[in-house]
Amino acid sequence: MIPTKANLEKLRQEKKKKPKVHQKISNTFIENTISKNNLSTLKTIYYLSSALESFDLSEFKDSKIITLKIDKREMLKFTGLSVDTIIKTTKQMQETSITFHDEKDGIIEGMSLLPRYNFIPNKNIVEIDLYVRIAKMIINVKKNYTPMNVKDLMHIKNKHSLRLLALLCRISNYDEKVAKRKHMDIDELNNFFGTNYKKWSLIELKIIKPIKEELDNNSKLSFVYEANFEKLGRGRPAFRNVTIDVIENSKKTLY
């Protein structure tokens, strides 16, 4: 049977009803700090992931609060952000809460992403308090970008580029026998980038092409892509999905 637009739309709606991986966890770290926040927040988190490298968190309980004393000048240089932007960003982070739901024991625990921050006037020290559990998650954010140097990420200006770059890094670490590629349909693209486009042509114009241009110019990893279409009766072929292949920028070859 030849698929019709009506049949495809029905399948798409059924797919939306399936529970997502993080659906049972309210205000997850990924949703609040990666998917929904702006570029300044992402850069601040990446900087914190580097600052936390000197901490041995293995001996601390997750509920303990640790204090980071950061050189403000180093933070400004690393992130490329202004003082006003960093203050505004840390305030936004403090307003972000994360809820952990232990389904086995029925325990619900809430934590502030950033319980306390202190910018001392006329001094170059910034104090930031973090729960150990959150600090461990921030450290893991950096692991998403292996084999990238986190400092190189500061050259990225588009938050969509950072999101896709994290995916490209994970794909690049697939087993050598596994193809370094990803297929994404319209719904998956919109969910991934936090957008609501109805047509592939708009996603390509507004999201994919700008990301590719930025990663080609600023990243060790980039990608090539191919849109896949399928024939629906006598009408114009409908977009099915896009195939994204990781490439190593210096060689311009598939990873």
Side-chain angles (χ1 to χ4, degrees):
M1 182 179 72
I2 299 176
T4 64
K5 289 185 177 180
N7 288 336
L8 286 176
E9 181 61 27
K10 183 178 179 180
L11 290 172
R12 187 171 294 160
Q13 293 302 322
E14 290 177 353
K15 185 177 180 181
K16 284 183 177 180
K17 294 178 182 178
K18 294 181 180 179
K20 298 177 183 178
V21 175
H22 299 287
Q23 190 168 303
K24 295 183 179 180
I25 304 177
S26 173
N27 298 326
T28 67
F29 182 79
I30 293 175
E31 288 295 326
N32 281 287
T33 63
I34 303 299
S35 300
K36 294 183 179 179
N37 280 311
N38 57 33
L39 186 64
S40 300
T41 305
L42 299 180
K43 287 189 173 185
T44 301
I45 289 172
Y46 300 143
Y47 175 75
L48 292 178
S49 73
S50 295
L52 284 165
E53 284 183 331
S54 60
F55 278 76
D56 181 5
L57 302 177
S58 60
E59 297 182 0
F60 295 110
K61 293 183 178 180
D62 285 350
S63 58
K64 181 176 177 57
I65 292 178
I66 60 173
T67 299
L68 286 176
K69 289 189 176 182
I70 295 170
D71 187 320
K72 184 169 64 178
R73 294 165 299 185
E74 177 62 26
M75 187 176 187
L76 294 174
K77 181 180 178 181
F78 189 100
T79 61
L81 302 174
S82 67
V83 174
D84 289 342
T85 299
I86 289 179
I87 292 175
K88 181 180 179 181
T89 297
T90 51
K91 183 177 180 180
Q92 291 174 340
M93 291 172 65
Q94 189 181 49
E95 294 171 353
T96 300
S97 61
I98 303 171
T99 303
F100 302 95
H101 186 191
D102 186 331
E103 294 183 350
K104 181 179 179 181
D105 298 324
I107 298 173
I108 299 176
E109 181 179 18
M111 289 183 177
S112 170
L113 175 59
L114 197 158
R116 185 187 73 96
Y117 64 89
N118 186 18
F119 285 83
I120 304 173
N122 303 319
K123 291 189 177 182
N124 290 313
I125 297 296
V126 178
E127 294 181 352
I128 292 179
D129 285 355
L130 292 168
Y131 283 102
V132 169
R133 186 169 187 175
I134 302 299
K136 290 177 180 177
M137 288 182 167
I138 290 176
I139 291 173
N140 284 333
V141 167
K142 186 174 180 179
K143 294 178 181 178
N144 288 336
Y145 288 91
T146 303
M148 293 293 297
N149 183 328
V150 173
K151 196 167 184 178
D152 292 339
L153 300 177
M154 298 302 110
H155 298 297
I156 304 298
K157 306 299 182 184
N158 185 336
K159 66 179 181 180
H160 295 316
S161 298
L162 281 175
R163 291 174 186 169
L164 187 60
L165 185 55
L167 176 62
L168 297 179
C169 288
R170 289 197 295 273
I171 294 174
S172 72
N173 288 320
Y174 285 175
D175 186 274
E176 60 180 14
K177 296 180 181 179
V178 178
K180 307 295 193 294
R181 63 175 41 166
K182 176 75 173 178
H183 300 284
M184 302 177 80
D185 61 22
I186 283 287
D187 290 332
E188 290 168 330
L189 287 165
N190 279 317
N191 286 334
F192 186 78
F193 292 112
T195 54
N196 191 32
Y197 292 111
K198 304 298 183 184
K199 297 181 179 180
W200 157 250
S201 58
L202 289 176
I203 293 181
E204 182 181 31
L205 178 65
K206 301 289 187 178
I207 304 292
I208 302 300
K209 285 186 175 180
I211 291 175
K212 179 165 175 55
E213 180 179 358
E214 183 166 42
L215 295 187
D216 283 349
N217 293 327
N218 296 288
S219 171
K220 177 181 177 181
L221 296 181
S222 189
F223 66 99
V224 292
Y225 68 94
E226 181 178 2
N228 304 305
F229 297 85
E230 55 190 351
K231 189 72 173 177
L232 298 177
R234 298 179 181 178
R236 179 182 299 178
F239 173 76
R240 184 172 76 250
N241 58 36
V242 61
T243 302
I244 296 174
D245 286 284
V246 182
I247 63 171
E248 189 172 352
N249 239 339
S250 59
K251 299 178 182 178
K252 297 297 181 184
T253 57
L254 293 180
Y255 204 86

